[in-house]
Amino acid sequence: MATPTMDKVAADDAAAASHLITVTFRIRRFNPEVSAEATWEDFQLEIDPKERVLDGLHKIKWELDGSLTFRRSCAHGICGSDAMRINGKNRLACKTLIKDINPAKPITVEPIKGLTVLKDLVVDMEPFFQAYRDVMPFLVTTGNEPTRERLQSAEDRERFDDTTKCILCAACTSSCPVFWNDGQYFGPAAIVNAHRFIFDSRDEAGEQRLEILNDKDGVWRCRTTFNCTDACPRGIEVTKAIQEVKRALITRRY
Amino acid sequence: MSDTTLEKSGVGPVEGASLYDADNPAPVIEAPRKRTAKTPRSTRGNFEMAAWLFMRLSGVVLVVLVITHLLIQLVLDGGVSKIGFAFVAGRWASPFWQVWDLLMLWLAMLHGANGLRTVINDYAERPNTRLWLKGLLYTATVFTILLGTLVIFTFDPNIR
Ligand code: HEM
Ligand code: FES
């Protein structure tokens, strides 16, 4: 029996349903307990195009296949957990809207490259963090601790502002063809985080960090491909930061 | 893959024998500069920086050397058709062009060899492949540089 109220509800439902679209997620699956081979698996879902790839992955994990494995924590582009290769480009699943990546075609989702895949979209981040630790990403000073905070002019702060934005998601490092080879190159993320301290007027270990990055797997392996700058979800000018470290190595010493 | 185990434990059913387990974990990419008794080995010394600088400096010089060389050999004064033994003999009669060609030979060969060295470093995955490719590269480079230098200095325009 069609009362006016029910009509309205039905109409609302129809309106709500109409903006959903059918999208195919083509996901690179790998489970070492099942097979040594990674395979593509397709999932079809109804989703609002204004939702994010991460929402699609959640829908799959929660409603279609609970074994799908991926990392995410904050879901808002802050923690850097969910970098993955979406349609062939490194992005954060939580910052990529479905409507922005051509949902008419299957959306491919793969783990980031150059790091060992542990399961599905989860990779072993240890080599990445090892390179990060190697550049000593902490303030180093000498002398007595000041009783107040360490002051710095606005210009001095501005000098390294760009590289403070890194969330260590590994999108840049795992987009770098030099890193793909043997994983020994420090990689853009470690250099960005060294840059953050090298150009900080309060820090006193710049020379040490420069020497570390003068290593044979340091900044000189950079081929200036700009993949890292393209990949950074925070819009950091990664390649520029690497070149500034190279320039500092040459001009500060000679 | 809907299975009752899924609801209970959140872990999918395992098919076939497991390849890896806790005692036999799957291989992972070795962390760089791993802390062991022997590593990381010190890689001090500025060879990579010198090589990087050399690429840029030699590149700038090569622009002048190579473009002038190409103009003289291939474009000006009748183009390629003029090139012959006499033409080369004529140019090498002057010490200026001898030094020019010598510089071009050394810079281009070292520049090209170092460029290929980085390409090998970037693309050869197995240490053995790297070793052999670089061995081949260095042999060819040394051979070409020495032969070219020998020819420039011992060139005899009256050879029959
Ligand atoms: C004509 C002027 C030239 C300029 C300005 C120039 C400049 C450069 C520079 C700056 C690089 C380094 C690229 C990087 O590290 O990312 C490079 C790489 C390279 N150059 Fe040259 N070069 C010149 C001529 C030559 C010649 C004559 C050869 C061959 C004998 C050559 C072979 C190479 C190779 C094989 C590489 C490595 C490619 C790579 O790293 O991707 N270049 N060149
Ligand atoms: S889930 Fe935290 S950055 Fe995307």
Side-chain angles (χ1 to χ4, degrees):
Chain A
M1 199 168 104
T3 68
T5 349
M6 280 176 80
D7 272 354
K8 190 167 177 299
V9 170
D12 275 0
D13 273 359
S18 67
H19 67 258
L20 297 186
I21 56 168
T22 306
V23 180
T24 305
F25 273 64
R26 182 161 292 166
I27 301 180
R28 193 77 175 155
R29 303 293 307 267
F30 171 68
N31 182 349
E33 291 175 344
V34 172
S35 162
E37 298 297 317
T39 50
W40 292 102
E41 188 173 350
D42 283 6
F43 296 92
Q44 295 235 324
L45 37 142
E46 300 275 303
I47 196 163
D48 184 331
K50 292 191 293 299
E51 293 217 86
R52 305 156 304 168
V53 171
L54 181 65
D55 299 311
L57 294 175
H58 278 152
K59 247 180 147 61
I60 295 169
K61 182 165 181 74
W62 295 338
E63 294 165 22
L64 300 174
D65 183 348
S67 71
L68 180 68
T69 307
F70 55 91
R71 287 194 182 106
R72 70 97 174 84
S73 183
C74 70
H76 291 86
I78 296 300
C79 71
S81 304
D82 63 344
M84 42 190 85
R85 209 166 138 88
I86 299 166
N87 279 356
K89 272 189 73 178
N90 282 1
R91 316 170 202 243
L92 294 180
C94 62
K95 279 183 87 172
T96 308
L97 299 190
I98 306 273
K99 71 180 174 63
D100 292 338
I101 50 170
N102 187 14
K105 288 209 189 135
I107 294 170
T108 62
V109 184
E110 299 163 75
I112 46 178
K113 289 181 35 145
L115 293 160
T116 308
V117 181
L118 300 178
K119 188 177 178 189
D120 293 344
L121 304 174
V122 173
V123 298
D124 174 23
M125 297 282 279
E126 189 46 33
F128 175 80
F129 286 124
Q130 180 65 58
Y132 176 58
R133 286 192 290 266
D134 282 341
V135 301
M136 309 193 299
F138 38 80
L139 188 77
V140 180
T141 59
T142 53
N144 292 332
E145 247 173 69
T147 47
R148 316 281 299 268
E149 68 269 38
R150 295 170 195 276
L151 293 180
Q152 182 171 48
S153 71
E155 299 80 64
D156 282 349
R157 176 61 180 72
E158 184 58 29
R159 180 65 193 87
F160 61 93
D161 186 65
D162 201 34
T163 44
T164 62
K165 297 174 188 159
C166 177
I167 56 174
L168 293 170
C169 66
C172 58
T173 293
S174 64
S175 75
C176 174
V178 177
F179 183 79
W180 290 340
N181 177 276
D182 56 5
Q184 300 300 304
Y185 172 44
F186 274 82
I191 299 171
V192 158
N193 285 282
H195 179 286
R196 184 249 169 272
F197 287 99
I198 290 169
F199 293 95
D200 186 337
S201 60
R202 299 164 298 186
D203 185 82
E204 293 172 34
E207 265 307 306
Q208 245 172 298
R209 294 194 183 85
L210 285 175
E211 191 50 49
I212 290 166
L213 291 176
N214 200 18
D215 185 276
K216 92 173 163 34
D217 289 310
V219 285
W220 308 114
R221 282 200 80 180
C222 166
R223 306 247 71 76
T224 335
T225 61
F226 281 90
N227 281 18
C228 48
T229 299
D230 288 344
C232 181
R234 308 280 296 170
I236 300 172
E237 293 179 286
V238 184
T239 311
K240 186 178 169 203
I242 300 174
Q243 304 319 303
E244 286 176 357
V245 173
K246 285 181 189 168
R247 182 192 291 163
L249 263 165
I250 291 171
T251 56
R252 277 199 190 180
R253 309 171 141 207
Y254 300 98
Chain B
M1 279 250 265
S2 67
D3 188 271
T4 43
T5 52
L6 201 81
E7 270 88 41
K8 264 190 264 140
S9 65
V11 175
V14 175
E15 294 157 15
S18 170
L19 285 167
Y20 307 108
D21 55 40
D23 300 320
N24 175 31
V28 292
I29 291 168
E30 195 177 299
R33 297 164 290 283
K34 203 160 73 178
R35 264 58 164 177
T36 68
K38 284 192 188 140
T39 56
R41 263 190 300 164
S42 167
T43 50
R44 286 180 70 108
N46 287 351
F47 179 74
E48 291 301 327
M49 182 175 90
W52 186 90
L53 263 179
F54 172 75
M55 288 309 269
R56 272 127 258 265
L57 297 178
S58 61
V60 172
V61 180
L62 277 169
V63 171
V64 179
L65 293 178
V66 172
I67 291 181
T68 311
H69 176 80
L70 290 179
L71 274 178
I72 293 175
Q73 298 286 105
L74 311 177
V75 181
L76 301 176
D77 199 15
V80 279
S81 54
K82 65 171 184 272
I83 297 181
F85 187 86
F87 181 74
V88 175
R91 288 194 68 203
W92 275 351
S94 148
F96 178 80
W97 292 116
Q98 275 190 331
V99 171
W100 185 287
D101 281 4
L102 191 73
L103 201 62
M104 199 164 60
L105 171 75
W106 278 71
L107 287 183
M109 282 309 292
L110 293 178
H111 177 102
N114 188 49
L116 285 180
R117 183 184 69 93
T118 61
V119 170
I120 293 170
N121 278 342
D122 287 353
Y123 287 96
E125 288 181 13
R126 290 203 310 263
N128 252 337
T129 321
R130 276 187 189 200
L131 189 77
W132 280 104
L133 285 177
K134 283 193 202 171
L136 194 69
L137 173 68
Y138 298 155
T139 314
T141 306
V142 169
F143 176 77
T144 312
I145 289 181
L146 290 184
L147 184 65
T149 308
L150 183 78
V151 168
I152 291 176
F153 281 126
T154 62
F155 178 73
D156 176 7
N158 302 316
I159 200 168
R160 273 170 298 119

